mmCIF file of all heavy atoms in Angstrom:
data_model
loop_
_atom_site.group_PDB
_atom_site.id
_atom_site.type_symbol
_atom_site.label_atom_id
_atom_site.label_comp_id
_atom_site.label_asym_id
_atom_site.label_seq_id
_atom_site.Cartn_x
_atom_site.Cartn_y
_atom_site.Cartn_z
ATOM 1 N N ALA T 242 -1.724 -3.422 5.311
ATOM 2 C CA ALA T 242 -1.695 -2.099 4.699
ATOM 3 C C ALA T 242 -0.664 -1.218 5.511
ATOM 4 O O ALA T 242 -0.640 -1.356 6.688
ATOM 5 C CB ALA T 242 -2.980 -1.418 4.653
ATOM 6 N N ASP T 243 0.214 -0.459 4.774
ATOM 7 C CA ASP T 243 1.233 0.316 5.513
ATOM 8 C C ASP T 243 0.578 1.548 6.144
ATOM 9 O O ASP T 243 -0.308 2.190 5.681
ATOM 10 C CB ASP T 243 2.263 0.820 4.493
ATOM 11 C CG ASP T 243 3.137 -0.279 4.032
ATOM 12 O OD1 ASP T 243 3.481 -1.192 4.805
ATOM 13 O OD2 ASP T 243 3.477 -0.341 2.798
ATOM 14 N N ARG T 244 0.976 1.788 7.360
ATOM 15 C CA ARG T 244 0.570 2.993 8.120
ATOM 16 C C ARG T 244 1.189 4.177 7.452
ATOM 17 O O ARG T 244 2.185 4.284 6.907
ATOM 18 C CB ARG T 244 1.114 2.971 9.553
ATOM 19 C CG ARG T 244 0.406 1.867 10.347
ATOM 20 C CD ARG T 244 0.467 2.140 11.888
ATOM 21 N NE ARG T 244 0.168 1.007 12.595
ATOM 22 C CZ ARG T 244 0.885 0.363 13.487
ATOM 23 N NH1 ARG T 244 2.132 0.891 13.768
ATOM 24 N NH2 ARG T 244 0.468 -0.701 14.058
ATOM 25 N N ASP T 245 0.390 5.304 7.674
ATOM 26 C CA ASP T 245 0.802 6.626 7.049
ATOM 27 C C ASP T 245 2.252 7.101 7.634
ATOM 28 O O ASP T 245 3.088 7.436 6.855
ATOM 29 C CB ASP T 245 -0.108 7.660 7.451
ATOM 30 C CG ASP T 245 -1.543 7.480 6.881
ATOM 31 O OD1 ASP T 245 -1.571 6.641 5.888
ATOM 32 O OD2 ASP T 245 -2.554 8.003 7.336
ATOM 33 N N ARG T 246 2.452 6.844 8.901
ATOM 34 C CA ARG T 246 3.717 7.097 9.487
ATOM 35 C C ARG T 246 4.960 6.332 9.234
ATOM 36 O O ARG T 246 5.987 6.419 9.660
ATOM 37 C CB ARG T 246 3.569 7.354 11.037
ATOM 38 C CG ARG T 246 2.503 8.406 11.479
ATOM 39 C CD ARG T 246 2.309 8.523 12.876
ATOM 40 N NE ARG T 246 2.050 7.280 13.573
ATOM 41 C CZ ARG T 246 0.792 6.728 13.485
ATOM 42 N NH1 ARG T 246 -0.213 7.231 12.888
ATOM 43 N NH2 ARG T 246 0.692 5.541 14.132
ATOM 44 N N GLY T 247 4.576 5.093 8.521
ATOM 45 C CA GLY T 247 5.624 4.218 8.143
ATOM 46 C C GLY T 247 6.015 3.298 9.328
ATOM 47 O O GLY T 247 6.864 2.450 9.008
ATOM 48 N N ASP T 248 5.443 3.321 10.504
ATOM 49 C CA ASP T 248 5.814 2.343 11.489
ATOM 50 C C ASP T 248 4.866 1.180 11.685
ATOM 51 O O ASP T 248 3.936 1.149 12.215
ATOM 52 C CB ASP T 248 5.870 3.105 12.961
ATOM 53 C CG ASP T 248 4.539 3.771 13.118
ATOM 54 O OD1 ASP T 248 3.653 3.904 12.326
ATOM 55 O OD2 ASP T 248 4.336 4.211 14.429
ATOM 56 N N GLY T 249 5.302 0.225 10.710
ATOM 57 C CA GLY T 249 4.525 -1.111 10.827
ATOM 58 C C GLY T 249 3.201 -1.021 9.864
ATOM 59 O O GLY T 249 3.156 -0.142 8.954
ATOM 60 N N TYR T 250 2.345 -1.877 10.128
ATOM 61 C CA TYR T 250 1.107 -1.937 9.365
ATOM 62 C C TYR T 250 -0.078 -2.300 10.096
ATOM 63 O O TYR T 250 -0.017 -2.632 11.205
ATOM 64 C CB TYR T 250 1.389 -2.983 8.157
ATOM 65 C CG TYR T 250 1.651 -4.454 8.630
ATOM 66 C CD1 TYR T 250 0.528 -5.295 8.760
ATOM 67 C CD2 TYR T 250 2.826 -4.778 8.902
ATOM 68 C CE1 TYR T 250 0.812 -6.535 9.300
ATOM 69 C CE2 TYR T 250 3.115 -6.216 9.347
ATOM 70 C CZ TYR T 250 1.978 -7.041 9.508
ATOM 71 O OH TYR T 250 2.264 -8.333 9.904
ATOM 72 N N TYR T 251 -1.302 -2.217 9.374
ATOM 73 C CA TYR T 251 -2.555 -2.560 9.936
ATOM 74 C C TYR T 251 -3.190 -3.520 9.042
ATOM 75 O O TYR T 251 -2.685 -3.751 7.966
ATOM 76 C CB TYR T 251 -3.439 -1.272 10.269
ATOM 77 C CG TYR T 251 -3.733 -0.543 9.063
ATOM 78 C CD1 TYR T 251 -4.851 -0.766 8.248
ATOM 79 C CD2 TYR T 251 -2.849 0.510 8.658
ATOM 80 C CE1 TYR T 251 -5.212 0.019 7.228
ATOM 81 C CE2 TYR T 251 -3.268 1.267 7.507
ATOM 82 C CZ TYR T 251 -4.419 1.051 6.829
ATOM 83 O OH TYR T 251 -4.731 1.804 5.657
ATOM 84 N N MET T 252 -4.309 -4.122 9.416
ATOM 85 C CA MET T 252 -5.032 -5.044 8.513
ATOM 86 C C MET T 252 -6.179 -4.330 8.011
ATOM 87 O O MET T 252 -6.933 -3.820 8.654
ATOM 88 C CB MET T 252 -5.345 -6.296 9.160
ATOM 89 C CG MET T 252 -4.151 -7.160 9.731
ATOM 90 S SD MET T 252 -3.154 -7.802 8.435
ATOM 91 C CE MET T 252 -3.994 -9.273 7.907
ATOM 92 N N ALA T 253 -6.421 -4.629 6.658
ATOM 93 C CA ALA T 253 -7.567 -3.867 5.968
ATOM 94 C C ALA T 253 -8.194 -4.682 4.805
ATOM 95 O O ALA T 253 -7.592 -5.714 4.364
ATOM 96 C CB ALA T 253 -7.025 -2.569 5.388
ATOM 97 N N VAL T 254 -9.402 -4.251 4.560
ATOM 98 C CA VAL T 254 -10.173 -4.831 3.432
ATOM 99 C C VAL T 254 -10.566 -3.626 2.537
ATOM 100 O O VAL T 254 -11.364 -2.818 3.040
ATOM 101 C CB VAL T 254 -11.409 -5.640 3.854
ATOM 102 C CG1 VAL T 254 -12.195 -6.020 2.619
ATOM 103 C CG2 VAL T 254 -10.948 -6.778 4.687
ATOM 104 N N PRO T 255 -10.000 -3.533 1.442
ATOM 105 C CA PRO T 255 -10.428 -2.356 0.512
ATOM 106 C C PRO T 255 -11.762 -2.578 0.064
ATOM 107 O O PRO T 255 -12.294 -3.671 -0.180
ATOM 108 C CB PRO T 255 -9.469 -2.528 -0.755
ATOM 109 C CG PRO T 255 -8.356 -3.363 -0.264
ATOM 110 C CD PRO T 255 -8.906 -4.282 0.818
ATOM 111 N N ALA T 256 -12.491 -1.406 -0.161
ATOM 112 C CA ALA T 256 -13.946 -1.428 -0.411
ATOM 113 C C ALA T 256 -14.254 -2.225 -1.749
ATOM 114 O O ALA T 256 -15.372 -2.674 -1.940
ATOM 115 C CB ALA T 256 -14.545 -0.003 -0.517
ATOM 116 N N PHE T 257 -13.380 -2.271 -2.614
ATOM 117 C CA PHE T 257 -13.683 -2.832 -4.004
ATOM 118 C C PHE T 257 -13.429 -4.354 -4.113
ATOM 119 O O PHE T 257 -13.749 -4.886 -5.116
ATOM 120 C CB PHE T 257 -12.820 -2.070 -5.126
ATOM 121 C CG PHE T 257 -11.357 -2.242 -4.859
ATOM 122 C CD1 PHE T 257 -10.633 -3.300 -5.112
ATOM 123 C CD2 PHE T 257 -10.703 -1.107 -4.270
ATOM 124 C CE1 PHE T 257 -9.252 -3.427 -4.834
ATOM 125 C CE2 PHE T 257 -9.320 -1.203 -3.953
ATOM 126 C CZ PHE T 257 -8.611 -2.331 -4.332
ATOM 127 N N VAL T 258 -13.022 -4.874 -3.007
ATOM 128 C CA VAL T 258 -12.767 -6.369 -2.959
ATOM 129 C C VAL T 258 -14.135 -7.141 -2.820
ATOM 130 O O VAL T 258 -14.909 -6.808 -2.013
ATOM 131 C CB VAL T 258 -11.864 -6.776 -1.848
ATOM 132 C CG1 VAL T 258 -11.730 -8.229 -1.632
ATOM 133 C CG2 VAL T 258 -10.414 -6.174 -2.149
ATOM 134 N N GLY T 259 -14.220 -8.163 -3.766
ATOM 135 C CA GLY T 259 -15.470 -9.077 -3.649
ATOM 136 C C GLY T 259 -16.747 -8.425 -4.059
ATOM 137 O O GLY T 259 -16.792 -7.314 -4.742
ATOM 138 N N HIS T 260 -17.829 -9.067 -3.741
ATOM 139 C CA HIS T 260 -19.177 -8.566 -4.088
ATOM 140 C C HIS T 260 -19.971 -8.082 -2.873
ATOM 141 O O HIS T 260 -19.613 -8.553 -1.749
ATOM 142 C CB HIS T 260 -19.967 -9.740 -4.746
ATOM 143 C CG HIS T 260 -19.265 -10.211 -6.041
ATOM 144 N ND1 HIS T 260 -19.207 -9.484 -7.215
ATOM 145 C CD2 HIS T 260 -18.599 -11.463 -6.231
ATOM 146 C CE1 HIS T 260 -18.591 -10.243 -8.134
ATOM 147 N NE2 HIS T 260 -18.180 -11.348 -7.562
ATOM 148 N N LYS T 261 -21.104 -7.437 -3.076
ATOM 149 C CA LYS T 261 -21.831 -6.931 -1.876
ATOM 150 C C LYS T 261 -22.220 -8.160 -1.045
ATOM 151 O O LYS T 261 -22.533 -9.236 -1.588
ATOM 152 C CB LYS T 261 -23.087 -6.312 -2.529
ATOM 153 C CG LYS T 261 -23.904 -5.588 -1.393
ATOM 154 C CD LYS T 261 -25.013 -4.730 -1.991
ATOM 155 C CE LYS T 261 -25.712 -4.004 -1.001
ATOM 156 N NZ LYS T 261 -26.893 -4.679 -0.395
ATOM 157 N N LYS T 262 -22.168 -7.932 0.214
ATOM 158 C CA LYS T 262 -22.458 -8.980 1.212
ATOM 159 C C LYS T 262 -21.422 -10.031 1.417
ATOM 160 O O LYS T 262 -21.532 -10.986 2.280
ATOM 161 C CB LYS T 262 -23.877 -9.607 0.990
ATOM 162 C CG LYS T 262 -24.992 -8.687 1.064
ATOM 163 C CD LYS T 262 -25.724 -8.825 2.284
ATOM 164 C CE LYS T 262 -27.083 -8.043 2.334
ATOM 165 N NZ LYS T 262 -27.061 -6.944 3.275
ATOM 166 N N ASP T 263 -20.381 -10.049 0.627
ATOM 167 C CA ASP T 263 -19.272 -11.052 0.854
ATOM 168 C C ASP T 263 -18.580 -10.678 2.170
ATOM 169 O O ASP T 263 -18.576 -9.620 2.655
ATOM 170 C CB ASP T 263 -18.174 -10.851 -0.242
ATOM 171 C CG ASP T 263 -18.451 -11.598 -1.546
ATOM 172 O OD1 ASP T 263 -19.535 -12.260 -1.585
ATOM 173 O OD2 ASP T 263 -17.641 -11.622 -2.403
ATOM 174 N N MET T 264 -18.095 -11.740 2.840
ATOM 175 C CA MET T 264 -17.389 -11.577 4.170
ATOM 176 C C MET T 264 -15.969 -12.054 4.096
ATOM 177 O O MET T 264 -15.580 -12.819 3.475
ATOM 178 C CB MET T 264 -18.120 -12.620 5.082
ATOM 179 C CG MET T 264 -19.609 -12.493 5.236
ATOM 180 S SD MET T 264 -20.061 -11.219 6.202
ATOM 181 C CE MET T 264 -21.852 -11.448 6.283
ATOM 182 N N GLY T 265 -15.179 -11.250 4.940
ATOM 183 C CA GLY T 265 -13.859 -11.610 5.215
ATOM 184 C C GLY T 265 -13.666 -11.748 6.738
ATOM 185 O O GLY T 265 -13.984 -10.799 7.433
ATOM 186 N N ARG T 266 -13.074 -12.791 7.205
ATOM 187 C CA ARG T 266 -12.891 -12.972 8.634
ATOM 188 C C ARG T 266 -11.491 -13.164 9.086
ATOM 189 O O ARG T 266 -10.645 -13.960 8.516
ATOM 190 C CB ARG T 266 -13.683 -14.188 9.131
ATOM 191 C CG ARG T 266 -15.233 -14.026 8.974
ATOM 192 C CD ARG T 266 -16.029 -15.164 9.664
ATOM 193 N NE ARG T 266 -17.326 -15.099 9.053
ATOM 194 C CZ ARG T 266 -17.732 -15.788 7.899
ATOM 195 N NH1 ARG T 266 -16.762 -16.511 7.396
ATOM 196 N NH2 ARG T 266 -18.854 -15.686 7.437
ATOM 197 N N LEU T 267 -11.102 -12.456 10.093
ATOM 198 C CA LEU T 267 -9.739 -12.471 10.614
ATOM 199 C C LEU T 267 -9.879 -12.941 12.083
ATOM 200 O O LEU T 267 -10.572 -12.244 12.816
ATOM 201 C CB LEU T 267 -9.030 -11.166 10.508
ATOM 202 C CG LEU T 267 -7.552 -11.097 10.835
ATOM 203 C CD1 LEU T 267 -6.761 -11.957 9.897
ATOM 204 C CD2 LEU T 267 -7.120 -9.647 10.683
ATOM 205 N N LYS T 268 -9.262 -14.048 12.433
ATOM 206 C CA LYS T 268 -9.457 -14.565 13.727
ATOM 207 C C LYS T 268 -8.308 -14.390 14.662
ATOM 208 O O LYS T 268 -7.103 -14.742 14.265
ATOM 209 C CB LYS T 268 -9.935 -16.058 13.629
ATOM 210 C CG LYS T 268 -10.366 -16.791 14.939
ATOM 211 C CD LYS T 268 -10.753 -18.157 14.513
ATOM 212 C CE LYS T 268 -12.166 -18.226 13.896
ATOM 213 N NZ LYS T 268 -12.722 -19.545 13.847
ATOM 214 N N LEU T 269 -8.562 -13.959 15.875
ATOM 215 C CA LEU T 269 -7.505 -13.803 16.931
ATOM 216 C C LEU T 269 -7.673 -15.035 17.850
ATOM 217 O O LEU T 269 -8.682 -15.193 18.574
ATOM 218 C CB LEU T 269 -7.577 -12.623 17.702
ATOM 219 C CG LEU T 269 -6.704 -12.438 18.897
ATOM 220 C CD1 LEU T 269 -5.244 -12.524 18.660
ATOM 221 C CD2 LEU T 269 -7.059 -11.112 19.507
ATOM 222 N N LEU T 270 -6.704 -15.960 17.889
ATOM 223 C CA LEU T 270 -6.726 -17.139 18.808
ATOM 224 C C LEU T 270 -6.246 -16.739 20.109
ATOM 225 O O LEU T 270 -5.180 -16.208 20.245
ATOM 226 C CB LEU T 270 -5.981 -18.319 18.176
ATOM 227 C CG LEU T 270 -6.322 -18.666 16.751
ATOM 228 C CD1 LEU T 270 -5.426 -19.816 16.313
ATOM 229 C CD2 LEU T 270 -7.718 -19.086 16.679
ATOM 230 N N LEU T 271 -7.077 -16.987 21.120
ATOM 231 C CA LEU T 271 -6.722 -16.687 22.521
ATOM 232 C C LEU T 271 -6.315 -18.007 23.176
ATOM 233 O O LEU T 271 -7.097 -18.923 23.277
ATOM 234 C CB LEU T 271 -7.943 -16.006 23.255
ATOM 235 C CG LEU T 271 -8.400 -14.673 22.519
ATOM 236 C CD1 LEU T 271 -9.688 -14.277 23.295
ATOM 237 C CD2 LEU T 271 -7.370 -13.663 22.599
ATOM 238 N N THR T 272 -5.222 -17.903 23.827
ATOM 239 C CA THR T 272 -4.808 -19.115 24.656
ATOM 240 C C THR T 272 -4.548 -18.573 26.104
ATOM 241 O O THR T 272 -4.179 -17.393 26.298
ATOM 242 C CB THR T 272 -3.500 -19.789 24.223
ATOM 243 O OG1 THR T 272 -2.522 -18.841 23.879
ATOM 244 C CG2 THR T 272 -3.944 -20.523 22.888
ATOM 245 N N ASP T 273 -4.543 -19.388 27.073
ATOM 246 C CA ASP T 273 -4.186 -19.069 28.439
ATOM 247 C C ASP T 273 -5.031 -18.036 29.065
ATOM 248 O O ASP T 273 -4.543 -17.288 29.959
ATOM 249 C CB ASP T 273 -2.693 -18.718 28.573
ATOM 250 C CG ASP T 273 -1.819 -19.664 27.810
ATOM 251 O OD1 ASP T 273 -2.116 -20.873 27.878
ATOM 252 O OD2 ASP T 273 -0.671 -19.300 27.246
ATOM 253 N N LEU T 274 -6.269 -17.875 28.702
ATOM 254 C CA LEU T 274 -7.043 -16.896 29.478
ATOM 255 C C LEU T 274 -7.682 -17.646 30.658
ATOM 256 O O LEU T 274 -8.051 -18.860 30.569
ATOM 257 C CB LEU T 274 -8.279 -16.386 28.604
ATOM 258 C CG LEU T 274 -7.954 -15.541 27.400
ATOM 259 C CD1 LEU T 274 -9.329 -14.840 26.888
ATOM 260 C CD2 LEU T 274 -6.983 -14.345 27.759
ATOM 261 N N LYS T 275 -7.618 -17.060 31.800
ATOM 262 C CA LYS T 275 -8.024 -17.811 33.026
ATOM 263 C C LYS T 275 -9.507 -17.826 33.149
ATOM 264 O O LYS T 275 -10.194 -16.821 32.874
ATOM 265 C CB LYS T 275 -7.486 -17.057 34.296
ATOM 266 C CG LYS T 275 -5.938 -17.081 34.389
ATOM 267 C CD LYS T 275 -5.462 -16.339 35.668
ATOM 268 C CE LYS T 275 -3.979 -16.196 35.690
ATOM 269 N NZ LYS T 275 -3.463 -15.298 34.581
ATOM 270 N N PRO T 276 -10.103 -18.950 33.474
ATOM 271 C CA PRO T 276 -11.473 -19.052 33.709
ATOM 272 C C PRO T 276 -11.939 -18.171 34.875
ATOM 273 O O PRO T 276 -11.174 -17.798 35.756
ATOM 274 C CB PRO T 276 -11.780 -20.518 34.115
ATOM 275 C CG PRO T 276 -10.470 -21.193 33.729
ATOM 276 C CD PRO T 276 -9.359 -20.276 33.725
ATOM 277 N N LYS T 277 -13.211 -17.827 34.831
ATOM 278 C CA LYS T 277 -13.750 -16.928 35.950
ATOM 279 C C LYS T 277 -12.993 -15.663 36.034
ATOM 280 O O LYS T 277 -12.742 -15.257 37.210
ATOM 281 C CB LYS T 277 -13.890 -17.726 37.238
ATOM 282 C CG LYS T 277 -14.882 -18.947 37.145
ATOM 283 C CD LYS T 277 -15.055 -19.582 38.436
ATOM 284 C CE LYS T 277 -16.070 -20.635 38.439
ATOM 285 N NZ LYS T 277 -15.881 -21.626 37.370
ATOM 286 N N SER T 278 -12.630 -14.969 34.934
ATOM 287 C CA SER T 278 -11.965 -13.669 35.094
ATOM 288 C C SER T 278 -12.476 -12.848 33.979
ATOM 289 O O SER T 278 -13.072 -13.331 32.958
ATOM 290 C CB SER T 278 -10.444 -13.845 34.974
ATOM 291 O OG SER T 278 -10.119 -14.674 34.000
ATOM 292 N N SER T 279 -12.166 -11.505 33.994
ATOM 293 C CA SER T 279 -12.644 -10.540 32.979
ATOM 294 C C SER T 279 -11.456 -9.996 32.177
ATOM 295 O O SER T 279 -10.347 -9.777 32.769
ATOM 296 C CB SER T 279 -13.223 -9.417 33.656
ATOM 297 O OG SER T 279 -14.325 -9.716 34.402
ATOM 298 N N TYR T 280 -11.673 -9.801 30.817
ATOM 299 C CA TYR T 280 -10.652 -9.219 30.051
ATOM 300 C C TYR T 280 -11.291 -8.060 29.337
ATOM 301 O O TYR T 280 -12.569 -8.002 29.020
ATOM 302 C CB TYR T 280 -10.049 -10.192 29.137
ATOM 303 C CG TYR T 280 -9.322 -11.323 29.771
ATOM 304 C CD1 TYR T 280 -9.866 -12.411 30.342
ATOM 305 C CD2 TYR T 280 -7.853 -11.148 30.085
ATOM 306 C CE1 TYR T 280 -9.165 -13.441 31.007
ATOM 307 C CE2 TYR T 280 -7.184 -12.146 30.679
ATOM 308 C CZ TYR T 280 -7.868 -13.268 31.142
ATOM 309 O OH TYR T 280 -7.117 -14.139 31.834
ATOM 310 N N CYS T 281 -10.487 -7.128 28.796
ATOM 311 C CA CYS T 281 -10.941 -6.165 27.874
ATOM 312 C C CYS T 281 -10.023 -6.153 26.600
ATOM 313 O O CYS T 281 -8.885 -6.232 26.674
ATOM 314 C CB CYS T 281 -10.814 -4.778 28.564
ATOM 315 S SG CYS T 281 -11.421 -3.432 27.543
ATOM 316 N N LEU T 282 -10.868 -6.225 25.428
ATOM 317 C CA LEU T 282 -10.146 -6.179 24.110
ATOM 318 C C LEU T 282 -10.391 -4.787 23.686
ATOM 319 O O LEU T 282 -11.476 -4.285 23.556
ATOM 320 C CB LEU T 282 -10.794 -7.221 23.192
ATOM 321 C CG LEU T 282 -10.120 -7.334 21.814
ATOM 322 C CD1 LEU T 282 -8.872 -8.118 21.897
ATOM 323 C CD2 LEU T 282 -11.124 -7.874 20.818
ATOM 324 N N ILE T 283 -9.284 -4.144 23.384
ATOM 325 C CA ILE T 283 -9.215 -2.710 22.919
ATOM 326 C C ILE T 283 -8.621 -2.754 21.413
ATOM 327 O O ILE T 283 -7.636 -3.376 21.353
ATOM 328 C CB ILE T 283 -8.514 -1.834 23.844
ATOM 329 C CG1 ILE T 283 -9.082 -1.827 25.277
ATOM 330 C CG2 ILE T 283 -8.404 -0.293 23.312
ATOM 331 C CD1 ILE T 283 -8.290 -1.063 26.282
ATOM 332 N N PHE T 284 -9.232 -2.040 20.551
ATOM 333 C CA PHE T 284 -8.709 -2.057 19.195
ATOM 334 C C PHE T 284 -9.060 -0.704 18.547
ATOM 335 O O PHE T 284 -9.959 -0.051 18.912
ATOM 336 C CB PHE T 284 -9.215 -3.186 18.438
ATOM 337 C CG PHE T 284 -10.741 -3.310 18.400
ATOM 338 C CD1 PHE T 284 -11.433 -2.727 17.202
ATOM 339 C CD2 PHE T 284 -11.506 -3.849 19.394
ATOM 340 C CE1 PHE T 284 -12.761 -2.760 17.171
ATOM 341 C CE2 PHE T 284 -12.826 -3.913 19.284
ATOM 342 C CZ PHE T 284 -13.558 -3.372 18.185
ATOM 343 N N SER T 285 -8.211 -0.335 17.519
ATOM 344 C CA SER T 285 -8.528 0.760 16.670
ATOM 345 C C SER T 285 -9.244 0.239 15.431
ATOM 346 O O SER T 285 -8.833 -0.810 14.927
ATOM 347 C CB SER T 285 -7.198 1.483 16.221
ATOM 348 O OG SER T 285 -6.419 1.900 17.390
ATOM 349 N N TYR T 286 -10.174 1.049 14.874
ATOM 350 C CA TYR T 286 -10.784 0.616 13.695
ATOM 351 C C TYR T 286 -11.170 1.854 12.841
ATOM 352 O O TYR T 286 -11.172 2.959 13.396
ATOM 353 C CB TYR T 286 -12.052 -0.216 14.025
ATOM 354 C CG TYR T 286 -13.177 0.633 14.562
ATOM 355 C CD1 TYR T 286 -14.202 1.198 13.860
ATOM 356 C CD2 TYR T 286 -13.188 0.904 15.941
ATOM 357 C CE1 TYR T 286 -15.067 2.022 14.402
ATOM 358 C CE2 TYR T 286 -14.259 1.662 16.493
ATOM 359 C CZ TYR T 286 -15.182 2.196 15.756
ATOM 360 O OH TYR T 286 -16.265 3.048 16.249
ATOM 361 N N ARG T 287 -11.364 1.591 11.567
ATOM 362 C CA ARG T 287 -11.774 2.619 10.665
ATOM 363 C C ARG T 287 -12.632 2.085 9.596
ATOM 364 O O ARG T 287 -12.378 1.044 8.983
ATOM 365 C CB ARG T 287 -10.511 3.160 10.073
ATOM 366 C CG ARG T 287 -10.771 4.358 9.086
ATOM 367 C CD ARG T 287 -9.539 5.155 8.688
ATOM 368 N NE ARG T 287 -8.723 4.458 7.787
ATOM 369 C CZ ARG T 287 -7.770 5.027 7.066
ATOM 370 N NH1 ARG T 287 -7.407 6.183 7.406
ATOM 371 N NH2 ARG T 287 -7.031 4.244 6.155
ATOM 372 N N LEU T 288 -13.776 2.833 9.371
ATOM 373 C CA LEU T 288 -14.650 2.515 8.078
ATOM 374 C C LEU T 288 -14.588 3.687 7.311
ATOM 375 O O LEU T 288 -15.195 4.755 7.695
ATOM 376 C CB LEU T 288 -16.046 2.283 8.626
ATOM 377 C CG LEU T 288 -16.187 1.008 9.496
ATOM 378 C CD1 LEU T 288 -17.130 1.124 10.573
ATOM 379 C CD2 LEU T 288 -16.592 -0.226 8.570
#
C-alpha cells in the first residue's frame, strides 16, 4: 500500500478481505543470526 508521503510503500491487509477469523501471514526469513546472542526486532504497525 502506498505511503501518504509517497516515499515507498508498506504492507497491509484491508479490513474487507476474506471472512471473519481468516488469516494472512507474511514471513520474514532470517539468515546469519549468531547463536547465543540477542536481537531486537522493531517495527511500525497500525490497526
Side-chain angles (χ1 to χ4, degrees):
D243 289 321
R244 289 199 196 127
D245 298 339
R246 298 179 306 283
D248 54 345
Y250 61 92
Y251 59 92
M252 294 300 277
V254 176
F257 56 81
V258 167
H260 302 288
K261 187 169 185 269
K262 299 257 190 246
D263 275 3
M264 307 279 187
R266 292 184 202 91
L267 188 62
K268 190 176 280 190
L269 170 59
L270 304 179
L271 301 174
T272 49
D273 309 326
L274 293 194
K275 294 182 189 66
K277 298 188 172 48
S278 48
S279 301
Y280 293 88
C281 179
L282 185 77
I283 302 174
F284 56 97
S285 301
Y286 68 95
R287 182 167 77 168
L288 291 140

